Amino acid sequence: MENKWNIRESGDPEKIERLVAEVGIDPVLANLLVQRGVETFEQARRFFRPSLENLHDPFLMKDMDKAVDRLHKAITGGEKILVYGDYDVDGTTAVSLVYSFIKRYSPNVDFYIPDRYDEGYGVSEKGIKHAADGGFTLIITLDCGIKAIDKTRLAASKGIDVIICDHHLPEEELPPAVAVLDPKREDDTYPFDDLCGCGVGFKLVQGYAQKYDIPFDTLRPLLDLLVVSISSDLVTMVDENRVLAHFGLKRLNDDPCKGLLAMINLSNLEPGHITIDDIVFKIGPRINAAGRMETGRLAVELLTATETGEALRIGEKINNNNNDRKNIDREITAEALEMVQSGKALSSGNATIVYNPEWNKGVVGIVASRLVEAFYKPTVVLTKSNGFVTGSARSIQGFDLYAAIENCSDLLENFGGHVYAAGLTLKEENLPEFVSRMDAFVKDRLTEEMLTPVIDIDSRLDFSQITPKFTRLLKQFQPFGPGNQNPVFATENVYDAGNGRKVGAGGVHMKLDLIQESQPYHQIPAIAFNMSGHYDYIHEGNPMDVCYSIVENYYRGNSSLQLRIKDLKERDEFI
């Protein structure tokens, strides 16, 4: 599929010139800062030198005082506390973080992760019954609970108070909990509303530590869990998230908890050189696999393990879960692709909607993402679980998928999510109407422009500008993520130096040594994933235009610079 290249306009020239003079950086990098809203020397200092002093006061969050007081009452009164969270990376890291903190001050704490297949997402009746039967009088929900109005009432009827820590969009009515911590509450004036669920949990323990004179250094060992959540949940890498991810990444590299160290080793990563990409593509999916294939409780047991041997044992089990997940993912993706291509999909016109009651519920979200890559349309992948049709949906840039699903809310048992990703459950008899309504909604709001994938390019760049100083300063833009993506550059009229080759299983990738026509002696190694269809053209010495990010590779103690090609255009294609 042909991508559209969108080269962003440069920022205000005066602001760029001022940063060049005051900060002493390349104009291209100064432009990147201005594009990110960094316009003064002081803003640049805070950007390049994140400080934990820049974290917001947790008591600016609505209900934080109530939550801290109720937690303190439970700890000092010897009450039994149940830390309850979702089964994905955000939920299991959040539970691990809050559980580990409370465990230092109370022996009467346990955790609960609902079963993806038996209970589904969020607070369940089974979970409430477990708490009541176990004599728990306080439940702390993490990464879930904001819509659990009935379940919170059920808990109250059994003498159980609930503190909700969530980051999803609430409805008009909030659950009748002791405290509802959610920066997306309409009545909340907290300065930053894009925390992940683990981030909201961290603010709770930060608030507790602050009120009861516990040194902040006590919280530092928890930051490796937090950066895994921030990275995997794809919240914006700005404001508090950027500060917390910066120090979390440092902790992950310097002194990770035993569970994460096991994951680092099982992922064949090099300790001390872990990046956000490593979390997103290697560590996060493995932690997620526990809840997809077996139980999310395994992930919490891993992340709270205190013995190296125990961590390795659980880690190997989760790694095997991940391998099984990959195999099932490949099988179901192949079936779903064939279903669309043969006309057996429920919809393949405006939206892609596929259904097979036999598919594994744990991987339908991954399959939906694969179908978006293949057909680039809003996509829903459905299976059957506990008598209901259930599944995941993924969107394309610019299309509000959550609004499309919300439009069908009267047909659904429950749903939740974000603009680009959502989950839903419905009765099978409502499926035809759901498909019809979804397809019509997408048709009315999908534009031709949305159907063309766009690659945003921050700046044009000549290879001669990629100097050691340039790359050293560019590295300080990390940690990268939404809102602060690894900059994408475009360079025109480049060639392979003659050593290019196909790599990877089936030769689907290419390794190249690129030179720019105007600077034939400045050669830079590059990797182009899934682009070997261009190999013959490139191998013949023909010119191309490339857009790419600059990355640093570590292998056996050696680091090297490499261009990660995001797209390339043969010169006869690109004007």
Side-chain angles (χ1 to χ4, degrees), residues 280-299:
V280 172
F281 296 111
K282 299 286 183 68
I283 298 172
R286 281 172 167 79
I287 295 172
N288 246 337
R292 292 185 189 280
M293 305 306 298
E294 194 168 341
T295 169
R297 188 173 180 89
L298 264 182

Side-chain angles (χ1 to χ4, degrees), residues 77-258:
E79 295 180 53
K80 293 187 73 174
I81 304 165
L82 188 65
V83 184
Y84 187 118
D86 190 22
Y87 38 68
D88 68 0
V89 180
D90 190 18
T92 53
T93 52
V95 167
S96 301
L97 186 153
V98 173
Y99 171 82
S100 297
F101 177 83
I102 296 173
K103 187 79 172 170
R104 294 174 189 157
Y105 307 102
S106 171
N108 302 313
V109 60
D110 200 355
F111 60 86
Y112 187 91
I113 305 292
D115 183 272
R116 180 190 290 265
Y117 302 98
D118 181 37
E119 298 167 77
Y121 169 78
V123 183
S124 69
E125 286 189 18
K126 184 176 179 180
I128 300 295
K129 183 178 186 302
H130 171 85
D133 292 346
F136 293 91
T137 52
L138 177 63
I139 295 175
I140 301 173
T141 75
L142 293 151
D143 191 35
C144 61
I146 196 62
K147 294 184 178 181
I149 296 169
D150 292 341
K151 304 301 189 302
T152 304
R153 289 199 183 105
L154 176 64
S157 73
K158 297 178 180 296
I160 303 170
D161 286 339
V162 179
I163 295 172
I164 291 171
C165 302
D166 205 348
H167 69 127
H168 295 98
L169 280 170
E171 295 177 344
E172 282 189 28
E173 183 184 356
L174 294 175
V178 170
V180 178
L181 304 183
D182 188 334
K184 289 189 174 71
R185 284 177 59 165
E186 278 193 15
D187 59 347
D188 200 333
T189 56
Y190 190 72
F192 182 60
D193 71 352
D194 201 29
L195 293 167
C196 58
C198 189
V200 179
F202 178 80
K203 298 309 291 189
L204 171 61
V205 302
Q206 183 194 359
Y208 189 93
Q210 186 172 305
K211 180 162 184 178
Y212 296 105
D213 298 320
I214 298 170
F216 188 90
D217 279 351
T218 306
L219 307 181
R220 283 180 184 269
L222 304 173
L223 294 179
D224 55 357
L225 294 169
L226 187 48
V227 71
V228 170
S229 175
I230 289 169
S231 306
S232 302
D233 215 49
L234 299 178
V235 288
T236 50
M237 196 65 78
V238 299
D239 203 284
E240 270 194 313
N241 285 341
R242 188 165 187 273
V243 174
L244 292 166
H246 172 87
F247 288 97
L249 207 53
K250 182 172 174 53
R251 184 78 192 187
L252 187 64
N253 279 293
D254 294 346
D255 189 17
C257 68
K258 287 180 169 54

Side-chain angles (χ1 to χ4, degrees), residues 351-518:
T352 301
I353 305 177
V354 291
Y355 171 53
N356 183 328
E358 302 302 317
W359 283 341
N360 184 300
K361 181 184 175 184
V363 301
V364 291
I366 299 170
V367 175
S369 296
R370 301 270 192 269
L371 295 185
V372 170
E373 290 172 10
F375 304 111
Y376 207 69
K377 294 175 182 177
T379 298
V380 185
V381 178
L382 299 166
T383 184
K384 200 166 189 179
S385 178
N386 293 330
F388 289 95
V389 173
T390 186
S392 292
R394 299 292 184 268
S395 195
I396 60 176
Q397 190 171 337
F399 185 81
D400 188 343
L401 184 71
Y402 187 85
I405 292 173
E406 191 174 39
N407 181 60
C408 304
S409 60
D410 58 306
L411 303 172
L412 306 176
E413 297 302 299
N414 56 62
F415 68 98
H418 308 283
V419 172
Y420 293 115
L424 62 149
T425 301
L426 68 158
K427 293 176 180 174
E428 194 158 20
E429 58 261 34
N430 290 336
L431 189 54
E433 177 64 18
F434 171 78
V435 172
S436 173
R437 206 185 295 181
M438 275 290 293
D439 199 63
F441 188 95
V442 173
K443 181 181 180 182
D444 287 346
R445 288 160 180 80
L446 199 64
T447 66
E448 279 297 320
E449 193 174 47
M450 288 180 195
L451 290 171
T452 304
V454 175
I455 296 177
D456 288 319
I457 296 168
D458 294 275
S459 176
R460 287 185 168 89
L461 196 68
D462 286 334
F463 282 175
S464 61
Q465 294 173 271
I466 305 176
T467 63
K469 181 181 179 182
F470 182 92
T471 54
R472 189 172 65 252
L473 285 167
L474 183 62
K475 189 176 178 180
Q476 293 181 38
F477 277 67
Q478 297 181 36
F480 295 127
N484 182 43
Q485 296 282 13
N486 193 348
V488 178
F489 303 105
T491 303
E492 299 174 356
N493 215 13
V494 304
Y495 302 78
D496 179 60
N499 300 318
R501 64 191 188 278
K502 295 180 183 180
V503 296
V508 295
H509 315 310
M510 291 187 294
K511 272 196 171 181
L512 307 169
D513 289 309
L514 297 181
I515 53 175
Q516 193 172 4
E517 185 179 49
S518 57

Side-chain angles (χ1 to χ4, degrees), residues 311-327:
L312 281 172
R313 178 184 60 78
I314 300 170
E316 285 172 355
K317 195 171 185 179
I318 289 176
N319 201 47
N320 291 334
N321 283 335
N322 190 52
N323 291 331
D324 292 342
R325 187 272 305 167
K326 286 180 183 176
N327 292 331

